[in-house]
Amino acid sequence: MNRAQQKLTTREKLFDSAIILFNKQGIKQTKIIDIAQHANVSTGTFYVHFKSKEEIISSIYYEEFNRFMFTKIKSINQNELNLRTYLLKIGVLELKFADEKVGVEITTVAFESNLKTNMTIIGNHSKKRSFSHEIKKTIDRSTSLDSEYKTVVFKEFETIIRGIMMTWCFNNGKENIVDFGTALLNRYLINIK
């Protein structure tokens, strides 16, 4: 394994360990040394990759989320789906990542951290959510929408997904995000073919 692969493997181990420990113990109760030990690396190695718990949480929601979504997007046969069905599948996958992969506490802290960063580095969020560019390309290739409406559909779709996640966070995960989100997405996507 070369150095780049080894670095990526270490980051993934740190991501997985952080997610497990944050969900088991809570973010405040989890120490950086706990994450490093769980990942079988030194604390120094943690700091080579991340400056803080907040940075690993933000990275989980950019790097790990991008990796998850790109893998899932590749498995969807877009040629057999209309745009409405494609967007519904993508939206549900995003909600499942929040619910099944990381949980409400990590999602909430990621929102807070990413909003703060975006206030100082405007556009940071959009640049780091690289899988969203694939969604935009699919919408742009759609022949069922007028060209000027394609950008609106993309922005609305992204806004609805973020809104569903924020509502879930504000309710401390008390409702099923996938059920709640699927119902809202179905209502929004009803007129898209």
Side-chain angles (χ1 to χ4, degrees), residues 65-81:
F65 198 15
N66 280 326
R67 191 172 8 267
F68 174 87
M69 289 303 294
F70 274 120
T71 301
K72 299 296 184 179
I73 288 170
K74 286 179 186 175
S75 70
I76 297 172
N77 186 347
Q78 296 174 30
N79 297 329
E80 294 179 6
L81 302 175

Side-chain angles (χ1 to χ4, degrees), residues 45-184:
T45 299
F46 177 93
Y47 285 111
V48 166
H49 293 273
F50 309 102
K51 294 176 189 168
S52 63
K53 286 193 286 186
E54 290 75 23
E55 186 175 309
I56 195 171
I57 290 168
S58 181
S59 295
I60 286 167
Y61 248 93
Y62 287 127
E63 293 174 44
E64 196 65 17
F65 198 15
N66 280 326
R67 191 172 8 267
F68 174 87
M69 289 303 294
F70 274 120
T71 301
K72 299 296 184 179
I73 288 170
K74 286 179 186 175
S75 70
I76 297 172
N77 186 347
Q78 296 174 30
N79 297 329
E80 294 179 6
L81 302 175
N82 62 29
L83 183 59
R84 178 186 187 285
T85 305
Y86 172 78
L87 289 175
L88 181 61
K89 282 183 175 281
I90 294 299
V92 169
L93 287 170
E94 289 191 53
L95 302 176
K96 283 184 175 182
F97 177 86
D99 184 40
E100 297 169 9
K101 178 78 173 164
V102 295
V104 70
E105 186 180 17
I106 295 171
T107 302
T108 303
V109 173
F111 264 114
E112 180 183 15
S113 174
N114 296 340
L115 281 167
K116 282 181 188 175
T117 301
N118 201 65
M119 294 302 290
T120 55
I121 308 170
I122 297 168
N124 183 64
H125 181 71
S126 297
K127 288 178 194 167
K128 288 196 169 190
R129 279 176 51 90
S130 54
F131 75 86
S132 289
H133 304 293
E134 291 302 311
I135 298 168
K136 176 90 170 87
K137 285 182 204 173
T138 300
I139 292 170
D140 287 344
R141 285 192 302 265
S142 172
T143 57
S144 66
L145 299 173
D146 294 334
S147 59
E148 64 273 359
Y149 188 55
K150 291 176 182 182
T151 300
V152 172
V153 168
F154 174 72
K155 286 180 180 178
E156 286 176 346
F157 177 75
E158 288 282 295
T159 301
I160 288 168
I161 294 294
R162 301 291 76 69
I164 293 166
M165 287 183 175
M166 284 290 261
T167 300
W168 183 62
C169 291
F170 283 129
N171 292 322
N172 295 322
K174 289 196 174 30
E175 58 194 324
N176 184 308
I177 190 174
V178 176
D179 292 345
F180 166 69
T182 301
L184 282 176

